[in-house]
């Protein structure tokens, strides 16, 4: 069965349609190309839920749209896991989408590698480091959308991992969303 990512009504077309409400000059071909690139890169991969992996970047991008990201952030969100979860290299990504997109994706990947392992006394330091690492706030917005979708599908993850992810979300991601004034995401997290 070929999945073309009509998951919960989310498709690349619905993302384009929603983005065009505030970005009328959005380059649709570029967004479709990013989707196809991610779909091909994640081919054969599945989420813990059993869904094709491409459903995750689509859902994360859909969750990002209320923040009114620019075109590059939309594209980077569609591609946000290709460097860490596939065989795609930075060079290949840069060749396909240019250095700004490749760097955005690389910076999102770098933030995803940082895990809170310290006690609660270290959490404030971690939040500050997280924001300092993300000199471009679009990186933080993409990570927040990524984390929100991961929280929405947490039931499919092993119990021990659920607890770590939930605590990290509660103590790091939700407060960052609050500090940035993104209360809709904070509340959902």
């Amino acid at each position: 069965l070929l999945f073309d990512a009509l998951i919960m009504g989310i498709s690349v077309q619905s993302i384009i349609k929603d983005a065009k409400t505030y970005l009328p000059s959005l380059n649709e071909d570029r967004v479709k190309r990013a989707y196809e690139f991610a779909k091909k890169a994640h081919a054969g991969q599945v989420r813990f839920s059993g869904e094709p992996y491409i459903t995750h970047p689509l859902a994360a991008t859909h969750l990002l749209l209320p923040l009114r990201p620019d075109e590059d952030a939309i594209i980077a969100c569609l591609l946000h896991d290709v460097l860490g979860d596939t065989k795609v290299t930075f060079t290949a990504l840069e060749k396909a989408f240019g250095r700004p997109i490749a760097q955005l994706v690389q910076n999102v990947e770098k933030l995803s590698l940082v895990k809170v392992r310290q006690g609660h006394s270290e959490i404030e330091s971690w939040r500050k480091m997280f924001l300092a690492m993300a000199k471009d706030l679009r990186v933080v917005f993409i990570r927040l959308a990524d984390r929100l979708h991961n929280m929405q599908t947490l039931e499919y993850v092993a119990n021990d991992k659920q607890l770590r992810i939930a605590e990290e979300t509660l103590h790091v991601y939700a407060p960052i969303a609050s500090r940035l004034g993104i209360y809709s995401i904070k509340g959902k997290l």
Side-chain angles (χ1 to χ4, degrees), residues 99-164:
R99 190 162 193 80
I101 297 289
Q103 286 178 321
L104 260 176
V105 173
Q106 183 178 55
N107 289 335
V108 170
E109 175 60 21
K110 283 179 184 176
L111 280 187
S112 73
L113 297 175
V114 179
K115 306 286 184 230
V116 176
R117 299 205 192 285
Q118 306 94 338
H120 290 287
S121 63
E122 300 295 322
I123 288 175
E124 184 58 32
S125 297
W126 194 92
R127 285 183 202 136
K128 288 177 182 173
M129 180 184 72
F130 185 95
L131 289 171
M133 283 177 65
K135 293 173 180 66
D136 184 340
L137 278 179
R138 295 176 301 176
V139 172
V140 175
F141 295 163
I142 293 168
R143 281 296 298 144
L144 288 171
D146 171 55
R147 179 51 63 107
L148 180 53
H149 184 249
N150 284 335
M151 287 299 294
Q152 291 173 340
T153 58
L154 197 60
E155 67 191 271
Y156 300 105
V157 178
N159 287 342
D160 59 326
K161 198 171 176 183
Q162 282 183 14
L163 185 59
R164 180 190 60 78

Side-chain angles (χ1 to χ4, degrees), residues 4-6 10-17 28 31-36 58 78:
D4 201 41
L6 271 177
I10 303 170
S11 66
V12 70
Q13 278 309 128
S14 69
I15 287 169
I16 289 168
K17 180 182 175 200
E28 293 183 37
V31 174
K32 288 177 188 172
R33 205 164 42 85
Y35 165 73
E36 291 299 332
L58 278 171
L78 286 168

Side-chain angles (χ1 to χ4, degrees), residues 9-23 26 31 57-78 138 141-142 144-146 148 182 184-185 188:
I10 303 170
S11 66
V12 70
Q13 278 309 128
S14 69
I15 287 169
I16 289 168
K17 180 182 175 200
D18 291 348
K20 287 192 88 134
T21 63
Y22 69 90
L23 280 176
L26 180 75
V31 174
L58 278 171
T61 305
H62 175 74
L63 293 167
L64 178 69
L65 289 178
L67 301 179
R68 300 172 67 97
D70 67 6
E71 185 175 305
D72 283 358
I74 292 168
I75 290 167
C77 195
L78 286 168
R138 295 176 301 176
F141 295 163
I142 293 168
L144 288 171
D146 171 55
L148 180 53
I182 310 170
S184 60
I185 289 182
K188 290 174 184 171

